[in-house]
Amino acid sequence: MGMVGISDIQRAAARLAGVAARTPLLESAALNEACGRRVFIKPENLQRTGSFKFRGAYNRLSQLDEAARRAGVVAWSSGNHGQGVAAAARLLGVRASVVMPGDAPGVKIDNTRAHGAEVIFYDRYTEDREAIARDLCAARGATLIPSYDDPGIIAGQGTVGLEIREDVGRLGARLDAVLVCCGGGGLVAGTATAIKDADPATAVYAVEPEGYDDYARSLASGRRETADASRPSICDALLAPAPGKLTFPINRQLLAGGLVVAEDEVIEAMRYAFRTLKLVVEPGGAVALAALLAGKCDRAHETLAVVLSGGNVDPAFYAGVLSED
Amino acid sequence: MGMVGISDIQRAAARLAGVAARTPLLESAALNEACGRRVFIKPENLQRTGSFKFRGAYNRLSQLDEAARRAGVVAWSSGNHGQGVAAAARLLGVRASVVMPGDAPGVKIDNTRAHGAEVIFYDRYTEDREAIARDLCAARGATLIPSYDDPGIIAGQGTVGLEIREDVGRLGARLDAVLVCCGGGGLVAGTATAIKDADPATAVYAVEPEGYDDYARSLASGRRETADASRPSICDALLAPAPGKLTFPINRQLLAGGLVVAEDEVIEAMRYAFRTLKLVVEPGGAVALAALLAGKCDRAHETLAVVLSGGNVDPAFYAGVLSED
């Protein structure tokens, strides 16, 4: 399986106990009926900081030694990883700086600052966030906290899968498929590791927005393909231009494939989440639900789990989604 | 305790198992921090039909005998009870008619019809919905399903309290107080019955919107006071003009008192639910959270549960709530 195994995820779960939210596994009679399948919903929009990213960040930061904690941490992020790192750092008494694109949703910028982190802006189309972050680390002796390509991050996100399998098991069910959103591939890699360990027959899919389907193409070709990162997308959380170096071998081994959704399908899923599920989901957090609702998941899969990965969306944007209807 | 005891609620829970959603008990680090207390959230907006009302309706309808099932049921409702009755009736193969105000939220009218019920409109300011419903029952031999003043309804709603106490117990916590929205008082009566049975020291409060504080005044005076039902309110689910004949003796014996919230406090709670909790809550479903956020609950209560009773709100209305900000 490579560098992250089920025991790493179980250790991460122990570190997160009482700190991260143990999010529930929801089921909606209306959604089941609409799909003609049994669908479990893992609502990571209800997670601390509003997305699953807190899991990986806290798991990673809690393993820093004393000297590293004193020197602080640096992350780059479109917003959710930044909030996760900021909140984890504050809980652990660590200074955090987050390099964010100037066009990140205001709610993500505000919350990252509210959790006590320093925010450093860059231009997503002309500047190299990795270089900015690495310079900062070099100058301060700080530790870089990658958003997906790191075993501690992958193991932390994998607790999403561990909780799904625990709760599904408690209900006496078994999963034919799990749909997980995918940017750099950390969440789906960790989740697949936990899910496939429990039941190798469960198919796990990475779901991406149109234009950022580098993972779907990479899984098909067997090598890391890239996306044109200059293309705008409402799915601000999923704009990684290529599969991670560490996540790709895991996902290549474990995933059944990639699914791709169009923006109007994402918008429709956000409306459905609001109206029927009564959940606030950000665009990038809605892609797995969008794939399901748009009928992109093999009909042979009768029992599925869908991860709603985050809910950090500007109220004005959601208001627009609701009123355009 | 009167006509509804803990064993009635336990029997209701058995009837609802596998039919109603077992809603989770949520906790938000951000809300705890904002309040300086430990707050558990019972999200009944995630319940089947989008509000707790399905519980009482299904519990009541599932006990009808064969002849009564064939003759059908009639209910009057501002919308949530109507949806609950409609969904329960369809599951049980019973014909349902729901008398609704012409100014009910469109989402509630649409969903009541979508669940297969006949909708009959009346004018909330000039017509008597009870008379319309009773005439219909007389003509058809149908059974009237009251929205709160009925032991089967109260016992069904009480399963909300039963689940709260089970989940709080599992966490090893105990509750100083529980805040529950209140129209006719069925939810709070059932919830208080379950909660006080587990821990008589827990204070249970009824929360009402300004203008419809008849329960707060009745609890203070010791007799059933009325509200001016011609006054408009955004809390369409909570416009009962007086405590129920059956609910009042229960609530008078069990409740610590009534709390009243202003409309701007309700709006603020809806914004908070969206932004921080990532939950869609209708105005009437947000009053308990509003009371907490507005500091109306005794500071001596350090551990609380707050019921979010429903999420059936027109998207355009919520969009307005979000964009006025």
Side-chain angles (χ1 to χ4, degrees):
Chain A
M1 194 84 42
M3 83 297 299
V4 179
I6 188 66
S7 60
D8 298 301
I9 297 173
Q10 286 161 336
R11 276 192 291 272
R15 289 183 200 107
L16 291 173
V19 184
R22 175 69 168 76
T23 56
L25 195 68
L26 304 175
E27 195 173 354
S28 157
L31 178 59
N32 285 351
E33 209 170 292
C35 296
R37 313 174 180 198
R38 185 171 193 188
V39 183
F40 296 108
I41 300 155
K42 182 65 171 174
E44 281 296 297
N45 55 333
L46 308 181
Q47 184 52 262
R48 193 166 194 150
T49 73
S51 90
F52 72 95
K53 289 284 191 179
F54 176 77
R55 296 175 183 263
Y58 189 87
N59 184 51
R60 180 68 173 79
L61 266 67
S62 66
Q63 295 176 73
L64 292 174
D65 65 25
E66 263 316 301
R69 289 190 189 201
R70 273 194 303 275
V73 297
V74 173
W76 64 77
S77 168
S78 64
N80 281 337
H81 177 58
Q83 289 176 74
V85 167
R90 194 172 59 167
L91 283 167
L92 296 163
V94 175
R95 176 182 173 190
S97 301
V98 179
V99 181
M100 292 180 77
D103 62 352
V107 64
K108 294 184 175 180
I109 297 166
D110 294 348
N111 288 345
T112 303
R113 284 184 173 141
H115 290 301
E118 172 193 24
V119 173
I120 296 155
F121 291 111
Y122 77 102
D123 182 321
R124 203 154 61 78
Y125 302 104
T126 62
E127 290 186 282
D128 180 355
R129 63 183 186 175
E130 305 198 16
I132 296 169
R134 289 188 202 286
D135 286 352
L136 217 54
C137 285
R140 295 177 182 174
T143 303
L144 183 71
I145 308 295
S147 56
Y148 49 85
D149 237 2
D150 178 287
I153 297 292
I154 296 168
Q157 321 305 31
T159 59
V160 170
L162 195 64
E163 293 176 7
I164 291 172
R165 82 183 223 188
E166 284 170 3
D167 288 352
V168 168
R170 202 169 289 136
L171 293 165
R174 57 162 301 284
L175 293 169
D176 296 318
V178 180
L179 308 187
V180 187
C181 68
C182 181
L187 175 63
V188 70
T191 300
T193 300
I195 293 289
K196 304 286 285 191
D197 175 75
D199 186 348
T202 305
V204 181
Y205 294 89
V207 187
E208 294 169 299
E210 222 171 44
Y212 287 84
D213 60 346
D214 46 285
Y215 237 114
R217 288 186 284 107
S218 301
L219 290 168
S221 75
R223 54 166 204 230
R224 294 167 64 224
E225 309 281 353
T226 59
D228 171 9
S230 70
R231 182 170 162 167
S233 166
I234 59 170
C235 297
D236 59 272
L238 304 179
L239 308 187
K245 287 194 190 91
L246 302 188
T247 62
F248 185 59
I250 300 174
N251 287 323
R252 192 183 169 192
Q253 186 181 345
L254 297 180
L255 300 196
L259 306 173
V260 183
V261 292
E263 291 220 339
D264 60 343
E265 293 167 340
V266 174
I267 295 279
E268 194 46 48
M270 290 177 72
R271 283 192 192 124
Y272 189 90
F274 181 98
R275 279 198 198 149
T276 305
L277 306 180
K278 313 302 180 189
L279 293 173
V280 176
V281 185
E282 65 182 280
V287 295
L289 178 63
L292 175 69
L293 292 174
K296 302 204 169 172
C297 183
D298 191 340
R299 293 293 316 175
H301 299 316
E302 291 178 359
T303 304
L304 299 93
V306 169
V307 179
L308 303 182
S309 56
N312 293 315
V313 50
D314 277 333
F317 181 86
Y318 222 120
V321 165
L322 295 175
S323 58
E324 271 167 38
D325 199 9
Chain B
M1 196 83 42
M3 84 294 301
V4 179
I6 186 68
S7 59
D8 299 301
I9 297 173
Q10 286 160 337
R11 276 192 291 272
R15 289 183 199 106
L16 292 172
V19 184
R22 175 69 167 77
T23 56
L25 195 67
L26 303 175
E27 194 174 356
S28 156
L31 179 58
N32 286 350
E33 210 172 291
C35 296
R37 313 173 180 198
R38 185 171 192 187
V39 183
F40 296 108
I41 301 154
K42 182 66 170 172
E44 281 297 298
N45 55 333
L46 308 181
Q47 184 52 261
R48 194 166 192 150
T49 73
S51 89
F52 71 96
K53 290 284 192 181
F54 176 78
R55 295 174 184 263
Y58 189 88
N59 184 51
R60 179 70 174 78
L61 266 67
S62 66
Q63 296 175 74
L64 292 173
D65 64 25
E66 263 316 301
R69 289 190 190 202
R70 273 194 302 275
V73 296
V74 173
W76 64 77
S77 167
S78 64
N80 281 338
H81 177 57
Q83 288 175 75
V85 167
R90 195 174 56 166
L91 284 167
L92 295 162
V94 175
R95 175 182 174 190
S97 301
V98 179
V99 181
M100 292 181 78
D103 62 352
V107 64
K108 293 184 176 179
I109 297 167
D110 294 346
N111 288 346
T112 302
R113 285 184 173 143
H115 290 301
E118 171 193 27
V119 172
I120 297 156
F121 291 110
Y122 77 102
D123 182 321
R124 203 154 62 77
Y125 302 104
T126 62
E127 290 187 281
D128 180 355
R129 62 183 186 177
E130 306 198 16
I132 297 169
R134 287 187 204 287
D135 287 353
L136 217 55
C137 285
R140 296 178 182 174
T143 303
L144 183 70
I145 307 295
S147 56
Y148 49 86
D149 237 3
D150 179 287
I153 297 291
I154 296 170
Q157 322 304 32
T159 58
V160 171
L162 195 65
E163 292 176 6
I164 292 173
R165 83 183 222 190
E166 285 171 1
D167 288 351
V168 168
R170 201 168 291 137
L171 293 165
R174 55 163 302 284
L175 292 170
D176 296 318
V178 180
L179 308 186
V180 187
C181 68
C182 181
L187 175 62
V188 69
T191 300
T193 300
I195 294 288
K196 304 286 285 189
D197 174 75
D199 186 348
T202 304
V204 181
Y205 294 89
V207 187
E208 294 170 300
E210 222 171 44
Y212 287 83
D213 61 345
D214 47 283
Y215 237 112
R217 288 186 285 105
S218 302
L219 291 168
S221 74
R223 53 166 205 231
R224 294 167 64 224
E225 310 280 354
T226 58
D228 171 9
S230 70
R231 183 172 161 165
S233 166
I234 58 169
C235 296
D236 59 273
L238 303 179
L239 308 187
K245 286 193 189 91
L246 302 187
T247 62
F248 186 59
I250 301 173
N251 286 324
R252 192 183 169 193
Q253 186 183 341
L254 296 180
L255 299 197
L259 306 174
V260 183
V261 291
E263 291 220 339
D264 60 343
E265 293 167 340
V266 174
I267 294 280
E268 193 47 47
M270 290 176 72
R271 283 193 193 125
Y272 189 88
F274 182 97
R275 277 198 201 150
T276 305
L277 306 180
K278 313 302 180 189
L279 294 173
V280 176
V281 186
E282 65 182 278
V287 295
L289 179 63
L292 175 70
L293 292 174
K296 301 205 168 171
C297 182
D298 192 339
R299 293 293 317 175
H301 300 316
E302 292 177 358
T303 304
L304 299 93
V306 170
V307 179
L308 303 183
S309 55
N312 293 316
V313 51
D314 276 332
F317 181 86
Y318 222 120
V321 164
L322 295 175
S323 58
E324 272 166 36
D325 198 9

